[in-house]
Amino acid sequence: MRIDVVTIFPGYLAPLREALLGRAIEAGLVEVAVHDLRDWTHDVHQAVDDAPYGGGPGMVMKPQVWGEALDAVLAADERPARLVVPTPAGRPFRQSTAQAWAGEQRLVFACGRYEGIDQRVVDEAAARMPVDEVSIGDYVLVGGEVAVLVMVEAVARLLPGVLGNPVSAEQDSFSDGLLEGPAYTRPLTWRGLSVPEVLRSGHHGAIARWRRDRALERTADRRPDLLAALPADALDAADRAF
Ligand code: 6GU
């Protein structure tokens, strides 16, 4: 997969080259290119924003600069791309979004700042390629850069070969619609607290049942919305008994 990020703060994306993602880049599993939007300005001030039509606070990012930037970035590689525009006004980014995007050959992220990007940039791009305006949660960030770090990490760990153990992606919270329950390692007793007995029983059926019950319990407590959204066949008789 190739990932391009266009931003006025390229340094903000430096963490993409750390840890898991850094190793995936070194292994050639992911290609990442970060571009400075100001490279496509033509004025001495390198202006990327202007006052909003209709008035109001803040500034809107100029369409000409974004248009040239996206044209150039898209032309640098022949693979078909999906354009992602992070915005608090977007559709929610979910695990299912990450799974869908993990099947793409190319993702191009356009990071807006200020009050956003002139809407015509998104509308014009949408005539040429799939475009998603997405939000990572119900809070407001200063710009899309941190949201891109979040989304790229969520997608990259699903790519074949990126995670050491692919089973861990399959067992994630959300993959079965439930939150994951608690996990324990040695020592058996720590500060007077013991590991639940069943996990040491060697009884695989009982362990699986216990884990499922803890996942159901935690989901009911912390995310009742997720439990309510499960399809009718997601819970078996033993789950319901719990
Ligand atoms: Cl994707 N961008 C910004 N600026 N704020 C956000 C967001 C994105 N998601 C939640 N808040």
Side-chain angles (χ1 to χ4, degrees), residues 86-88 112 134-144 147 151:
T87 164
V134 291
S135 162
I136 62 163
D138 294 339
Y139 38 79
V140 179
L141 304 171
V142 182
M151 294 188 279

Side-chain angles (χ1 to χ4, degrees), residues 110-230:
C111 294
R113 287 248 148 188
Y114 316 107
E115 301 308 304
I117 303 173
D118 187 301
Q119 189 62 39
R120 291 169 293 180
V121 173
V122 171
D123 295 346
E124 189 264 345
R128 293 184 279 157
M129 69 190 95
V131 178
D132 292 315
E133 292 180 86
V134 291
S135 162
I136 62 163
D138 294 339
Y139 38 79
V140 179
L141 304 171
V142 182
E145 286 78 9
V146 171
V148 168
L149 293 176
V150 168
M151 294 188 279
V152 168
E153 183 162 314
V155 171
R157 65 184 288 284
L158 298 176
L159 300 177
V162 170
L163 278 194
N165 179 3
V167 178
S168 42
E170 284 157 31
Q171 289 182 354
D172 285 337
S173 284
F174 303 117
S175 295
D176 61 1
L178 298 177
L179 302 184
E180 262 189 90
Y184 301 88
T185 187
R186 282 179 287 230
L188 183 56
T189 302
W190 178 78
R191 297 191 180 179
L193 301 172
S194 290
V195 173
E197 188 63 42
V198 61
L199 297 178
R200 304 177 50 237
S201 66
H203 195 309
H204 298 299
I207 291 170
R209 184 68 251 165
W210 184 87
R211 286 190 168 143
R212 179 87 178 164
D213 289 345
R214 297 291 78 70
L216 288 161
E217 185 176 68
R218 182 173 275 187
T219 308
D221 178 44
R222 300 180 182 177
R223 295 293 305 277
D225 57 310
L226 290 182
L227 216 47
L230 285 179

